[in-house]
């Protein structure tokens, strides 16, 4: 049996419940992971909030696609992206299934070795935001000498996009609320406050222009400023403004597109290596016991501290 979080209906965090669930023996290409830490992401409250549909037949919803833990059972052909998986392996899971749990069955293809240098909580929250950030800088072909505008530079995805763009030799301007400006500076970007007057502030911070815009926020302000500043629309991407992308001819990136899915799969090993070498760092904002998942989701939907929320099963 395993403590497992499910959404019993569509709605707000009040629909979340922790239940005891059987964990089946792993079948072909499957393993069971006992999680030490689980990453929390906005997509999870969007799922039971009905953002992606609200078919009652899909209830109860199992939540979570990332985490870090120890393999406690393996099925036949338990081969991960880095090779055979064994009981006792310390692993990072992404893109897993129903990771909001003490123990859960996972596809072997989502299970990678956890570098010893990366702690449980850091590892649990690295790969969803990291792979998304990797997709944004790879798709916009960020390279040496580029000036890159990142909307939401202190967010989970944004802070990794800043660091990955810096590693490619770019100069980065990052939007954030005033109280996060020291943090944005600490990861190597020039901070600019979002809100009225953003366009002028970015122009002042980047007098020679902006080559690439990466929107992790999805507001009209972020899209409008990006369109104003970047002539080449193939170098503007958003991970949140899907409606605007369709009307304005910019690229919306989601794990559902085959190109993004492939890029993100390939990014996982590199992200773990970079984190192990200390070349990127993700930030753990807060940890919550699994039972406090609703409180974590309520807080994540508001203005919250920099970094990832992590559940401890
Ligand atoms: N398409 C995909 O594949 C994909 C993948 C991952 C995430 N996402 C989506 O991307 C979004 C960000 O995810 P996340 O994990 O980075 O979330 P997060 O950690 O909660 O970060 C949210 C960011 O938004 C900023 N922000 C809030 N209000 C703003 C405003 N009015 N103007 C400008 N910035 C504002 C915050 O800045 P301050 O804290 O400085 O105020 C913060 O940096 C979510 O909608 C998520 O669902 C999409």
């Amino acid at each position: 049996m395993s403590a497992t979080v499910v959404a019993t209906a569509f709605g707000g965090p009040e629909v979340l419940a922790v239940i005891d669930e059987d964990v089946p023996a792993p079948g072909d290409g499957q393993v069971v992971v006992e999680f030490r830490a689980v990453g929390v992401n906005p997509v999870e409250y969007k799922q039971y909030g009905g953002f992606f549909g609200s078919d009652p037949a899909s209830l109860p919803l199992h939540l979570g696609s990332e985490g870090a833990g120890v393999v406690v059972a393996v099925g036949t052909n338990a081969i991960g992206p880095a090779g055979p998986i064994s009981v006792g392996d310390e692993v990072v899971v992404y893109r897993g299934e129903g990771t909001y749990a003490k123990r859960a069955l996972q596809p072997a293809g989502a299970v990678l070795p956890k570098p010893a240098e990366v702690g449980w909580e850091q590892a649990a929250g690295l790969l969803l935001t990291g792979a998304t950030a990797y997709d944004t800088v790879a798709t916009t072909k960020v390279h040496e000498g580029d000036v890159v505008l990142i909307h939401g530079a202190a967010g989970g995805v944004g802070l990794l996009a800043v660091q990955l763009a810096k590693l490619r030799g770019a100069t980065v301007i990052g939007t954030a609320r005033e109280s996060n400006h020291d943090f944005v500076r600490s990861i190597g970007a020039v901070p600019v406050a979002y809100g009225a007057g953003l366009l002028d502030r970015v122009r002042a911070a980047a007098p020679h222009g902006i080559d690439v815009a990466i929107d992790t926020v999805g507001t009209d302000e972020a899209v409008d400023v990006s369109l104003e500043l970047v002539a080449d629309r193939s170098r503007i991407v958003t991970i949140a403004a899907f409606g605007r992308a369709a009307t304005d001819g910019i690229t919306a990136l989601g794990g559902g597109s085959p190109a993004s899915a492939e890029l993100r799969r390939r990014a996982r090993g590199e992200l773990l290596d970079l984190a192990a070498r200390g070349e990127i760092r993700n930030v753990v904002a807060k940890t919550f016991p699994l039972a406090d998942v609703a409180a974590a989701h309520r807080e994540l939907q508001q203005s919250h501290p920099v970094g990832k929320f992590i559940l401890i099963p």
Side-chain angles (χ1 to χ4, degrees):
M1 299 293 274
S2 165
T4 303
V5 174
V6 292
T8 56
F10 290 97
E14 72 283 352
V15 304
L16 297 176
V18 182
I19 60 167
D20 256 338
E21 203 171 58
D22 261 340
V23 182
D28 194 48
Q30 294 180 319
V31 306
V32 175
V33 176
E34 183 170 284
F35 287 103
R36 299 285 188 268
V38 173
V40 177
N41 292 283
V43 67
E44 286 119 33
Y45 61 69
K46 291 182 181 178
Q47 281 166 346
Y48 62 80
F51 192 86
F52 307 113
S54 52
D55 178 3
S58 62
L59 296 172
L61 291 177
H62 288 70
L63 302 172
S65 63
E66 65 175 350
V70 177
V71 175
V72 293
V74 295
T76 47
N77 298 311
I79 316 284
I85 303 168
S86 305
V87 169
D89 285 356
E90 297 190 350
V91 295
V92 189
V93 174
Y94 181 70
R95 187 175 174 173
E97 296 164 359
T99 60
Y100 280 24
K102 180 70 193 165
R103 289 174 173 222
L105 208 54
Q106 299 297 325
V111 176
L112 295 102
K114 183 183 82 62
E117 301 83 349
V118 185
W120 293 114
E121 294 167 11
Q122 192 195 354
L126 175 67
L127 291 186
L128 188 150
T129 47
T132 307
Y134 187 98
D135 191 4
T136 65
V137 299
T139 301
T140 52
K141 300 185 168 56
V142 172
H143 55 72
E144 183 86 37
D146 275 339
V147 181
V148 179
L149 172 64
I150 298 183
H151 298 279
V157 178
L159 69 88
L160 284 163
V162 168
Q163 295 173 71
L164 293 172
K166 294 284 300 179
L167 283 174
R168 287 172 172 238
T171 298
V172 181
I173 315 291
T175 75
R177 78 180 113 111
E178 204 82 46
S179 57
N180 284 337
H181 283 195
D182 282 347
F183 170 77
V184 171
R185 260 182 226 106
S186 78
I187 53 171
V190 177
V192 169
Y194 54 74
L198 175 63
L199 180 60
D200 291 340
R201 286 193 293 281
V202 176
R203 282 197 169 121
H208 302 298
I210 298 286
D211 302 297
V212 169
I214 294 171
D215 166 38
T216 74
V217 176
T219 55
D220 284 337
E221 173 186 78
V223 175
D224 290 340
V225 165
S226 302
L227 290 168
E228 192 68 38
L229 290 169
V230 180
D232 178 356
R233 292 196 176 188
S234 74
R235 303 197 83 194
I236 304 175
V237 293
T238 179
I239 60 165
F242 285 82
R244 287 295 307 268
T247 54
D248 291 284
I250 60 174
T251 303
L253 295 175
S257 99
S260 279
E262 180 52 27
L263 262 176
R264 293 177 193 205
R265 257 195 304 277
R266 280 200 275 120
R268 295 173 302 179
E270 188 175 333
L271 289 162
L272 288 165
D273 288 347
L274 288 169
R277 293 199 300 270
E279 291 182 45
I280 57 169
R281 67 180 171 107
N282 65 330
V283 178
V284 174
K286 273 180 114 163
T287 61
F288 296 78
L290 192 68
D292 291 348
V293 58
H297 279 199
R298 282 193 190 94
E299 193 173 338
L300 189 64
Q301 292 182 59
Q302 296 155 13
S303 189
H304 59 80
V306 169
K308 297 282 301 216
F309 285 9
I310 302 293
L311 298 173
I312 307 296

